[in-house]
Amino acid sequence: MFTEKDFKVTLMNKEEVSGFIKKHGEFACICYNTPIERAEKVGEHCMASGHLSGSRHLYFVFHISNVPRFTVDQLVRHEVGVVKNVQSLRYVTKDEFSVYAPPEVLADPERKWEFERAEDYLKYTYSLNVKRFQEKGHERANEIARSLLPIGISTECSFACNLEGLINLAHKRLCTRAELPIRALAKLMVKEVIEAEPRYAPYLVSQCDHLGYCPEGHSCGKYPKGGK
């Protein structure tokens, strides 16, 4: 089994990202015929004023691994300014089979034992079915057996987004109302980007931090609802 502490996120183009603000400015300089020498300042000004159209060609590229399949399902709901490629479960093997355990399960010895036994049984059943279908000459034995795999199985994906896509992701997924695994994943993604370019930090925040109030139906109490 694994937990959100085992999630792995790598920003694949860190060196490139460190120059994104300048490139943002270079692309936007044409708008007011600004000298290209001022591109860095133009990029900073564009971010501060919310003028992000000049950054839409610049993509943060992430490799995400050891996360639950249901968390990837939430991640790929993001569409605008986003590109993704998810690992196929046609090629899962017994050695790679691991199931996510929520903290509530780990805190309860009986539930933890049940999860461990269920994972062991699924590994056994999956491997047995692969073997049996292979013996019958099926070339797609893994593909057939994957119907047994749980939604909490560990998987990985490639995920790329531009600045607008990443800001939107942060606004939605850093909210305390977001499910723990997707919130943990979003934090890791934001951390990777800020390490490469700290000037992005003020923009990669939860929606309430951005608005100054809670737009959700149920507030965690950090901000008043609806600005009141």
Side-chain angles (χ1 to χ4, degrees):
M1 295 192 301
F2 70 103
T3 73
E4 63 279 354
K5 294 179 181 179
D6 301 307
F7 294 2
K8 295 180 181 179
V9 175
T10 303
L11 180 63
M12 302 302 292
N13 58 336
K14 283 187 177 181
E15 291 187 9
E16 187 181 12
V17 166
S18 66
F20 272 8
I21 292 176
K22 183 178 180 180
K23 289 182 180 296
H24 183 170
E26 289 172 347
F27 200 88
C29 275
I30 193 71
C31 185
Y32 289 104
N33 197 30
T34 308
I36 199 71
E37 292 78 16
R38 296 182 59 190
E40 193 91 27
K41 288 297 182 181
V42 170
E44 290 178 345
H45 177 74
C46 285
M47 286 199 305
S49 59
H51 295 164
L52 304 180
S53 59
S55 67
R56 289 175 184 159
H57 64 301
L58 304 170
Y59 277 76
F60 305 89
V61 181
F62 299 94
H63 178 241
I64 297 167
S65 61
N66 209 30
V67 295
R69 185 59 179 238
F70 65 80
T71 300
V72 171
D73 288 345
Q74 294 177 45
L75 183 67
V76 300
R77 290 176 187 171
H78 293 264
E79 291 291 342
V80 180
V82 168
V83 181
K84 55 260 188 174
N85 200 326
V86 180
Q87 181 187 51
S88 171
L89 294 180
R90 295 172 68 185
Y91 310 108
V92 170
T93 65
K94 181 179 179 181
D95 293 337
E96 296 170 340
F97 196 149
S98 186
V99 175
Y100 172 73
E104 295 83 356
V105 169
L106 296 179
D108 186 326
E110 288 188 20
R111 302 290 81 74
K112 182 173 180 289
W113 183 87
E114 289 175 348
F115 264 62
E116 289 171 341
R117 298 292 75 74
E119 183 183 65
D120 289 342
Y121 179 73
L122 285 165
K123 286 181 179 180
Y124 167 77
T125 307
Y126 175 83
S127 297
L128 180 63
N129 275 273
V130 169
K131 181 180 178 181
R132 292 291 184 263
F133 283 116
Q134 286 175 338
E135 290 173 347
K136 292 182 177 180
H138 286 279
E139 295 181 358
R140 298 182 296 108
N142 293 71
E143 181 180 331
I144 297 168
R146 70 173 169 174
S147 295
L148 292 166
L149 300 178
I151 197 169
I153 189 173
S154 172
T155 191
E156 58 186 293
C157 70
S158 295
F159 187 87
C161 56
N162 60 26
L163 183 57
E164 285 176 290
L166 187 59
I167 288 174
N168 179 61
L169 189 150
H171 283 181
K172 300 298 189 293
R173 304 304 184 175
L174 292 180
C175 174
T176 57
R177 296 285 297 171
E179 193 175 8
L180 174 61
I182 190 66
R183 192 164 75 249
L185 177 56
K187 286 180 178 179
L188 290 174
M189 294 170 71
V190 166
K191 179 175 180 289
E192 283 284 293
V193 169
I194 292 174
E195 285 179 356
E197 177 45 84
R199 286 177 289 178
Y200 284 126
Y203 310 100
L204 301 178
V205 296
S206 64
Q207 190 157 240
C208 63
D209 282 329
H210 170 67
L211 296 173
Y213 65 88
C214 175
E216 292 289 320
H218 298 279
S219 173
C220 70
K222 184 177 180 180
Y223 288 93
K225 279 183 55 60
K228 297 181 181 180

